[in-house]
Structure formats: C-alpha cells, structure tokens
C-alpha cells in the first residue's frame, strides 16, 4: 500500500487524501492474491537456545547496579535515578554463571576460559573490585565503578582456569577458581582476606589479590572473631585461614552461609551447625548464650533433612529436602507483622516447593522450583524489587521476564540470574 | 380472578441464561426475547368478557302479545375490555442484560425479567468470575486481534511447542496472581491481611483492571490452540488482546478466532437456552431452575449495602469473599499440572510491574 505524502498536501488535502484511500470495510476477508503478498517474518528459529540474562535492582548511587546512566544521566535534562525499584536488565557480554553482592558493590563471574572472567561494579574504595586503573593516572584506581568492568586475577593459567563462584563481604571479595584455589581482595583490617594484617594498611589503590590454600569438605575461617563468628574457639581476629573444629571436626560440609555475625554450615547428611552471634535467638535452639565461638550441631525439630541454609543480619532461614522453608531469628520473618521474633523454626506454606533460599542483611529471597522469585522482609532502599518502598510482611512475587535460576542479595541491592522462557 | 395472561406475567420474575450466537448484537437477543414473551402473553385467551346489564328493546315473547317491543334487561358483554378494542394487554416486559457480550463472541448471556432486574445489578456488582474458552491461531497479527481483521504481520510459528506455551501461560498467571492481592483494597501491613493472603481469600471486590484468576491450555495443534480462562472485570476485547500477547511472548503472532463464554457466575452453558427455546414456557422453566442462585445473589447484594457499617475492611473482605464463593460454588477452579495458580496464594505479583526494561 502506498504511503500518503504528508508534506505535499495541506491540512485539508491530507484529510481528502485519506478519504480517497481505497479502504476495505472491517470484517470482509481479503482476496487470496492480496493475502499471499504479505511477507512472513521469522523472529525465532526452531533451535533457539534459552538465553541467560542478568537483572539488577536496588540502590544505585554507588554504581552497584552497573548502569552508569542511573548515577550520571546521559542528557542534562534527566535526573539521576537513586532507587531502581523494579528489575532492570543489565547487558553483559558473556553469560554470567555466578553473582555476589556486597555492601554497595557487585561481582559477576562467567564460567568461561576467556581472559576476562570477572566483572565488578560499585564501591571500590577498599579495592574490593581489584585495581581499576583510571584513564588519567596510571597509579590511581577508581573509587566508584559505574559499569561492569573486568577484574584481572593473577592466574597462573588464565586461559585454562575457570572462575566458579564469587562471594562478597562488606568491603572484601573472594573468588573461587577450579584449579587455582581461592583469591581474595579488598579490606583486610580484620584479616578477612586471609593474609597477614598490616597495621594502618591503606586499601585504596591496593593491588593485592592473594590465593589461599584450602581443603575440600572442611570449613576454613579467617577474619573478625569478636562474636565468635570464626568458630575457632577464641574471640580474636584470625588473619590466616584456619580449619574450624568444634562439632564440625570430621564432618563433610556441603554449604556454608554467613552474613552478619552468625554462621551456619550444612553437612552432606542434612545437619545444620551454627556458631557466632546468637543475640537474636539464631542459635537459641541449643544455647542461651549470646555468642558461641565454636560450631554446635543445631537440633532443629520438625525440619528434616536440610539442603540449604542462609544467614541474614538478625534472621536465619533453612531449606529442607522437601522444599519447605523455615525461618527464625529477629525482624520481619515473613509470617505477618505480628511475628517479629522466634527462637524455633517457623515453617512456611508447604504447597509451594522452594528450590533455593538466600538472605540479604535484612531481607529474604526464595526461588521456587518453577523459577519464580519471592522476596520479603525489610525493604532497604528498594532492595526487594517490588516497585515500592514499603516493607513486605509475607512473601511477594518479583516480576521478572523469565525463570530465575539464582539470586544474590546485598544490603540494599540484588542481582538475579534469569534464564529466558523461550 | 386473574386472567391467564396476568398469571403468566407474574411468573416472569427472575434471572435466566441464554446462549448468544456469534455475530449477533446482544441487543437483538434481548429484543427478540422480549417480543417472544410479549407474544406469549398477548396470545393467551382473553378472560371471559364482563357482562353488564343493558335494557334493550326486545320483542315481548310469551307474556305480552306478539309484535310488542318491550324494554327488558339482559346481560350483554361490554366491549370496553375486548382485545380488539383495547389492543394487546401487554406492551412491555422489562428484560435486562447482565454482563454484555460483543458481537464477535458467543456464549452465556444472563438476562433478567421483571423483578429480576434488581438482582441483575447485584450480580454485576458482586465481582463473580466468568469462564471463557478462547480459540487462537498462530501465524498472523491483525488490527482488531481477530481472524477477520486486516492482517498487519505474518510470522513463522514452527518453533512453538506446548511446553513453551505452558511456560508463557505460567508467567502470565504469576502476574495475575499478584494483581489479585494488589487490588483487594486491604492494607497489606496488617496481620489480618496476612491471614487472608495465606488462605487465599484476598480478592478484588472494588474497582480493578481485568484479572485472570485461572488460565490454561486445553488444546494445542499448531497453528490452532485453545485456552480456558477464568477472569474478573474483563471485556472480550481484552481477552482477544491476551491471545495476541501470548503470541508476542512466544516470539510469533496470534489472532483470536473465537471467544465463548461458558460460565457467568452461577449460570453455566449447559443451562443456557438456545434459540429454539427462547419461548415463554422454557424461559419460565429456566427462571424456576435458577431461583436458588438468584436468591443467593439478592441476599449477598443486600449484605453489601449494609457492609459499610462494619469496622474493618478485612472483615468485609472475608465475608463478601465467602458470599462470592457461595455464588461460584458450582464451578471448579482451573488447575493444570504444569501451571497451577490456585495453590500459591501467598505470593502475588503486579500486572503493571511486568513492564521491565530490556
């Protein structure tokens, strides 16, 4: 159909031109010859693979979301976006297999053999994202990284080693590789990076990324121990990774979780061990003391075999083999505004099967086996991603266009790894 | 003594369901029902004519001598109420329509006669759910989302499989589950709201956009597929647009080739009257069949009018929800093996939030 040229006709002429258009009344079918002329578009082939995408949301001023236009808008008219309240797609060059959120920064890792395996964005004042060399000065590093920038690891075999998992703390990060052990970077004031504590060390512009020796199945701890969270039996700092004893001695551990000052470990036979801070009744099932400096086996009634545990600042959650979630501790636990603290595990509605559970500092995230993400508890600067600033007293679905495979929770932002539906 | 027509008229009070065929405006259906009822009423045998005493000049007879004209009384029918004089007795029967169906759609159309029109209003306000069967066809997109519209684009659809369709439907259901709670007008920061949410009793009783409470695919034979939908506050154009959006999510395009309403609240398609049965006798039978449901609707409507006196909105929610459930009690919630929405009532998601940026 020919286009009407608007510029040549005047306003009246335009209307006349439209009326002179050969229009067919709606409802009458077209003739066969005209129907076959329309081109057929193919948007997706038969063998299209499912794509992996990354979605971010939360507080963006530190650059932790990795979208520079939120902090420094493209045009002068736009205002910087402080809170991203709903999931926003982050474009990545490679497929991201692991993500971790710290306090104001994010690390993304890809499982590939390429030279660039790790990207970091956000706060970098303690070099928790490594040394991000500035354009103008070779010896200075960026304090705030607004876009996902490659983090270079001092690997012996950079074209063979893969980065399996990343983990972030308040001001430090750890990277697990498949053949070269664990690398740590960032703040080491309490020895949390596993290297010797240097008095008054300046972490800004630091280049130190060091590997640490470890053994499979056992738990190593280093860092601040004032609440007993190292589990090493004493309350001093530990600057070198030391194997944790107590009830965990000789036990094969499949997963460790820690956030605030409390830590949990899940053994391969489904038992949960806990140590550290218990001021918020996290370990009240075994003791009334507020700090436990060595791991104790937690006898949780009615929980069954535990598959995964997650620790928040004041609350704790475990997931058992049947897909049921149990929470206890202090804060918004997710069973209404009345339940604000509990020493015994409280079970959620068992009709929904959960496949993975994560905790941020003040909130929870659960992924069901159908790939839906539910979040609840305190909404710190929009970290829940539900479109509003209100706290959420029971699990609420986050709308993400795809199946969520993994989620990383930070203090005020979250990252979700999503697989597309088609 | 009431006449047969009046007795028939008094039976015409209540609600019944009619099967509206496709291509017909709902007004024509209503008009033909009304004219059928009037025909039946006006064809009833008229009552026996009233007799009045009239003094007539009649020939004498036996008493007096013949050929004497005497004034004698006789009972003569008055012509004042003769139907040929007065015209048909009934000019109008109040027939009202419940939730309308546009010309492209077919299915259950609830009509109310006489006193049933008041109950129709309560039915409309009660936010009952409605069941639809939507026929879709992959491969083209048209301007009015139907297969008779002007084709805008044609696409391939050989990559579409049943499990991809089910995944897309599950995602749409997830968004609608959230909307159910979002529009329930209950303060979500209260303990009562949490209790209701856990039991799945939060429901939009006020104004809300169209929300699908159930969605599943019942037939898949590319390019044709059939969806069964349960929804509240919808329009048929919204449902055709839903088919179009399902096509878009699957990276192809789809048009709707049929919308059929199979249930409107407690009125199901098995009890709806087809064209041959649009006669007064069948209608009165249908009214009698639905009298129980009509009573329930009337009761719930009167409850809502007094509901403003209650204190907590959550209490109102619970009780109006139970009323709506009683009205809907005969229908079974949709749930299929891969996309069950009913179970997960704790966890709602919003429709408007679904616009994430890419």
């Amino acid at each position: 159909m020919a286009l009407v040229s608007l510029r040549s006709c005047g306003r009246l002429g335009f209307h006349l031109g439209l009326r002179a258009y050969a229009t067919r009344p709606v409802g009458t079918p077209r003739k066969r010859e005209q129907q076959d002329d329309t081109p057929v578009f193919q948007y997706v082939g038969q063998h299209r693979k499912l794509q992996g995408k990354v979605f971010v949301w939360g507080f963006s001023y530190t650059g932790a979301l990795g979208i520079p236009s939120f902090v420094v808008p493209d045009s002068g008219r736009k205002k910087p976006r402080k809170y991203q309240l709903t999931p926003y797609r982050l474009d990545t060059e490679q497929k991201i297999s692991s993500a971790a959120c710290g306090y104001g920064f994010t690390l993304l890792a890809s499982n590939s053999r390429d030279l660039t395996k790790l990207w970091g964005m956000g706060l970098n004042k303690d070099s928790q994202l490594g040394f991000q060399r500035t354009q103008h000065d070779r010896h200075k590093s960026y304090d705030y990284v607004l876009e996902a920038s490659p983090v270079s690891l001092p690997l012996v075999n950079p074209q063979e080693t893969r980065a399996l998992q990343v983990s972030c703390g308040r001001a430090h990060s750890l990277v697990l590789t498949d053949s070269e052990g664990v690398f740590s970077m960032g703040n080491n004031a309490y020895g949390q990076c596993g290297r010797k504590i240097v008095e008054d060390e300046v972490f800004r512009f630091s280049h130190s990324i060091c590997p640490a020796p470890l053994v499979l199945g056992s738990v190593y701890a280093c860092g601040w121990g004032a609440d007993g969270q190292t589990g090493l039996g004493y309350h001093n700092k530990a600057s070198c990774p030391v194997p944790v004893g107590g009830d965990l001695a000789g036990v094969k551990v499949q997963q460790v979780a820690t956030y605030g000052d409390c830590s949990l470990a899940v053994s391969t036979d489904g038992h949960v061990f806990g140590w550290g801070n218990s001021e918020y009744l996290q370990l009240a099932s075994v003791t009334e003391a507020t700090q436990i400096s060595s791991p104790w086996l937690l006898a949780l009634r009615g929980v069954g075999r535990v598959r995964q545990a997650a620790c928040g600042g004041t609350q704790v959650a475990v997931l058992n083999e049947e897909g049921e979630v149990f929470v206890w501790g202090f804060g918004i636990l997710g069973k209404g505004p009345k339940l604000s603290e509990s020493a015994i595990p409280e079970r959620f509605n068992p009709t929904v099967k959960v496949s993975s559970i994560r905790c941020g500092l003040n909130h929870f995230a659960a992924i069901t086996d159908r790939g839906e993400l539910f979040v609840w508890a305190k909404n710190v600067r929009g970290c829940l991603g539900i479109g509003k600033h209100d706290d959420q007293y029971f699990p609420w679905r986050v709308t993400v266009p795809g199946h969520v495979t993994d989620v990383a929770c930070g203090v005020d932002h979250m990252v979700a790894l999503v697989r597309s539906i088609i | 003594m009431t006449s047969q027509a009046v007795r028939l008229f008094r039976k015409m009070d209540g609600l019944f369901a009619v099967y509206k065929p496709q291509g017909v405006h709902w007004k024509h259906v209503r008009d033909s029902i009304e004219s059928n009822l009037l025909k039946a009423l006006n064809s009833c045998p008229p009552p026996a004519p009233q007799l009045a005493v009239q003094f007539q000049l009649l020939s004498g007879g036996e008493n007096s001598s013949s050929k004497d004209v005497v004034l004698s009384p006789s009972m003569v029918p008055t012509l004042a109420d003769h139907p040929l004089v007065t015209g048909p007795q009934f000019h109008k029967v109040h027939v009202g329509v419940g939730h309308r169906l546009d010309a492209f759609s077919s299915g259950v159309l609830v009509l109310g006669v006489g006193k049933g029109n008041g109950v129709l209003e309560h039915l409309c306000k009660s936010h009952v759910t409605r069941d639809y069967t939507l026929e879709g066809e992959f491969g083209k997109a048209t301007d009015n989302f139907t297969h008779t519209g002007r084709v805008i684009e044609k696409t391939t659809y050989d990559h579409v499989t049943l499990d991809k369709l089910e995944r897309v439907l599950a995602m749409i259901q997830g968004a609608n589950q959230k909307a159910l709670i979002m529009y329930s007008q209950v303060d979500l920061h209260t303990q009562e709201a949490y209790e209701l949410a856990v039991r799945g009793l939060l429901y939009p009783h006020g104004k809300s956009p169209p929300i699908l409470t159930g969605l599943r695919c019942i037939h898949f034979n590319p390019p044709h597929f059939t969806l069964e939908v349960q929804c509240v506050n919808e329009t048929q154009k919204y449902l055709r647009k839903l088919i179009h959006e399902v096509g878009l999510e699957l990276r192809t395009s789809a048009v709707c080739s049929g919308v059929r309403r199979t249930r409107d609240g407690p009125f199901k398609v098995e009890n709806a009257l087809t064209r041959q049965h649009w006669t007064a006798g069948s209608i009165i039978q249908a009214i009698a069949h639905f009298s129980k449901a009509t009573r329930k609707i009337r009761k719930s409507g009167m409850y809502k009018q007094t509901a403003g006196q209650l204190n907590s909105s959550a209490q109102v929610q619970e009780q109006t929800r139970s009323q709506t459930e009683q009205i809907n009690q005969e229908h079974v919630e949709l749930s299929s093996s891969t996309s069950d929405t009913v179970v997960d009532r704790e966890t709602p998601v919003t429709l408007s939030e679904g616009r994430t940026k890419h």
Side-chain angles (χ1 to χ4, degrees), chain A residues 276-293:
Chain A
N277 191 353
S278 181
E279 282 168 27
Y280 304 101
L281 311 173
Q282 292 107 318
L283 307 174
S285 55
V286 283
T287 174
E288 284 190 3
T290 49
Q291 280 119 1
I292 303 173
S293 55

Side-chain angles (χ1 to χ4, degrees), chain A residues 105-395:
Chain A
F105 66 102
T106 317
L107 269 187
L108 304 173
S110 146
N111 203 2
S112 70
R113 286 209 176 117
D114 292 357
L115 290 178
T116 330
K117 303 168 209 302
L118 210 55
W119 293 266
M121 53 246 200
L123 202 55
N124 195 24
K125 284 200 164 162
D126 286 309
S127 299
Q128 51 264 59
L129 305 175
F131 188 77
Q132 302 285 342
R133 201 175 70 172
T134 57
Q135 258 185 331
H136 308 289
D137 192 336
R138 270 190 311 124
H139 301 288
K140 291 213 175 118
S141 158
Y142 283 119
D143 279 338
Y144 293 93
V145 178
L146 299 183
E147 211 176 16
S149 313
V151 176
S152 55
L153 295 172
L155 295 168
V156 174
N157 252 337
Q159 282 170 330
E160 292 291 322
T161 325
R162 289 184 202 263
L164 297 176
Q165 197 189 348
V166 279
S167 181
C168 295
R170 188 193 67 79
H172 72 294
S173 16
L174 296 174
V175 183
L176 172 70
T177 58
D178 58 350
S179 52
E180 292 189 37
V182 177
F183 289 84
S184 66
M185 48 200 170
N187 194 316
N188 194 35
Y190 299 99
Q192 63 264 43
C193 283
R195 51 177 206 271
K196 196 147 179 283
I197 301 174
V198 174
E199 289 294 321
D200 299 326
E201 181 180 354
V202 170
F203 300 106
R204 208 170 166 216
F205 314 150
S206 155
H207 288 256
S208 57
I209 303 180
C210 69
L214 297 168
V215 167
L216 270 180
S218 44
V219 180
Y220 283 74
C222 55
W224 200 34
D227 273 336
Q229 58 265 52
T230 49
L232 298 173
Y234 49 81
H235 291 270
N236 301 337
K237 295 183 260 199
S239 62
C240 207
V242 178
V244 170
D247 283 357
L248 269 183
V251 175
K252 265 212 165 273
V253 171
Q254 59 156 327
Q255 196 234 333
V256 178
T258 177
Y259 208 102
D261 297 323
C262 175
S263 318
L264 289 184
V266 179
S267 64
T268 43
D269 49 357
H271 295 292
V272 184
F273 298 82
W275 65 99
N277 191 353
S278 181
E279 282 168 27
Y280 304 101
L281 311 173
Q282 292 107 318
L283 307 174
S285 55
V286 283
T287 174
E288 284 190 3
T290 49
Q291 280 119 1
I292 303 173
S293 55
S294 92
W296 280 46
L297 170 65
L298 300 181
L300 303 167
R301 228 178 273 161
V303 170
R305 229 182 126 105
V306 171
R307 192 169 9 132
Q308 197 183 13
C311 281
T314 58
Q315 68 274 27
V316 164
V318 294
L319 173 70
N320 75 359
E321 289 288 341
E322 280 93 51
E324 296 168 351
V325 174
F326 295 81
V327 290
W328 69 98
F330 174 80
I332 302 176
L333 294 180
K335 294 191 95 180
K338 275 202 186 143
L339 187 69
S340 66
E341 92 175 336
S342 163
I344 37 169
E346 294 275 343
R347 194 175 68 154
F348 274 90
N349 186 2
T351 51
V352 183
K353 279 205 153 213
V354 174
S355 68
S356 154
I357 177 129
R358 300 254 186 260
C359 258
L361 189 63
N362 290 313
H363 63 280
F364 294 91
I367 304 174
T368 65
D369 57 349
R370 286 201 282 139
E372 294 169 325
L373 174 64
F374 294 96
V375 293
W376 66 97
K378 246 182 142 21
N379 199 356
V380 176
R381 300 186 275 277
C383 67
L384 291 186
I386 52 179
K388 41 194 184 184
H389 286 283
D390 305 334
D391 298 336
Q392 190 51 40
Y393 291 96
F394 53 91

Side-chain angles (χ1 to χ4, degrees), chain B residues 49-339:
Chain B
Q50 279 189 322
L51 298 169
V53 175
Q54 207 176 34
F55 290 93
Q56 286 179 321
L57 288 169
L58 296 172
S59 55
E62 307 133 22
N63 290 348
S64 49
S65 47
S66 58
K67 289 185 196 162
D68 236 356
V69 177
V70 171
L71 206 65
S72 51
S74 56
M75 298 293 274
V76 167
T78 54
L79 295 174
D81 46 5
H82 196 277
L84 285 175
V85 172
T86 58
Q89 192 181 2
F90 292 94
H91 287 273
K92 188 176 170 79
V93 174
H94 289 282
V95 178
V97 177
H99 297 113
R100 298 181 216 150
L101 273 178
D102 61 357
F104 182 78
S105 324
S106 62
V108 173
L109 183 66
V110 177
L111 298 172
V113 197
K115 299 226 172 74
N117 286 309
V119 187
L120 257 189
E121 259 203 64
H122 293 317
L123 177 68
C124 288
K125 282 188 196 153
S126 67
H127 297 275
V128 285
T129 56
R130 289 179 278 283
D131 267 359
Y132 286 84
T133 305
L134 307 173
E135 312 264 333
E137 192 188 319
F138 288 122
K140 48 181 182 165
T142 54
D143 57 350
N144 61 356
F145 310 128
T146 62
H147 65 298
T148 53
R150 177 177 64 94
V151 174
I152 292 177
E153 192 180 70
K154 280 183 157 181
T155 55
T156 61
Y157 52 86
D158 48 1
H159 61 276
V160 178
T161 58
L162 180 61
D163 68 279
K164 282 185 194 164
L165 178 63
E166 300 260 341
R167 269 182 260 158
V168 168
L169 294 181
M171 208 173 69
I172 296 176
Q173 266 178 342
N176 280 282
Q177 281 289 301
K178 195 162 158 181
L180 271 180
I181 298 198
M182 289 272 299
Y183 290 97
S184 64
Q185 297 172 343
V186 174
D187 183 13
L188 294 172
H189 295 258
T190 54
Q191 183 69 17
E192 301 97 50
Y194 166 69
E195 302 287 335
L196 289 176
V198 167
R199 279 150 52 193
L201 294 179
L202 280 183
Y203 192 77
H205 284 279
K207 260 193 168 177
S208 80
I211 300 176
L212 310 175
T213 57
L215 175 63
R216 67 175 180 153
C217 176
I218 49 178
H219 182 69
F220 182 74
N221 181 22
H224 301 283
F225 65 102
T226 310
L227 299 182
E228 193 179 348
V229 180
Q230 257 182 306
C231 44
V232 73
N233 263 338
E234 84 299 343
T235 55
Q236 287 79 42
K237 190 163 186 188
Y238 176 81
L239 296 172
R240 293 195 286 272
K241 194 174 175 194
L242 172 75
I243 297 272
H244 171 80
E245 289 187 350
V246 166
L248 288 182
E249 289 288 336
L250 288 165
R251 307 290 183 266
T252 175
S253 46
V255 290
C256 180
S257 42
V259 176
R260 186 170 173 258
R261 187 192 276 165
T262 50
R263 184 185 63 84
D264 186 344
F267 299 94
K268 290 199 201 161
V269 72
E270 294 93 22
N271 306 318
L273 299 174
T274 48
R275 198 182 237 147
Q276 310 94 286
H277 298 292
W278 290 357
T279 56
S282 314
I283 290 173
I284 289 170
Q285 261 186 341
I287 290 175
H289 179 84
F290 285 114
S291 59
K292 210 174 169 193
T294 311
R295 230 178 296 140
K296 270 195 207 138
I297 299 170
R298 187 183 287 129
K299 256 194 233 167
S300 84
M302 292 196 327
Y303 172 78
K304 271 209 195 143
Q305 278 169 5
T306 58
Q309 297 158 15
L310 282 177
N311 293 333
S312 156
S313 67
Q315 279 181 19
V316 177
Q317 274 284 318
E318 186 156 358
Q319 299 195 11
T320 46
R321 167 73 178 168
S322 61
Q323 298 274 353
T324 323
E325 271 190 351
Q326 278 176 30
I327 293 172
N328 282 348
Q329 70 178 330
E330 282 150 21
H331 94 263
V332 177
E333 299 262 19
L334 284 177
S335 64
S336 81
S337 51
T338 48
S339 49

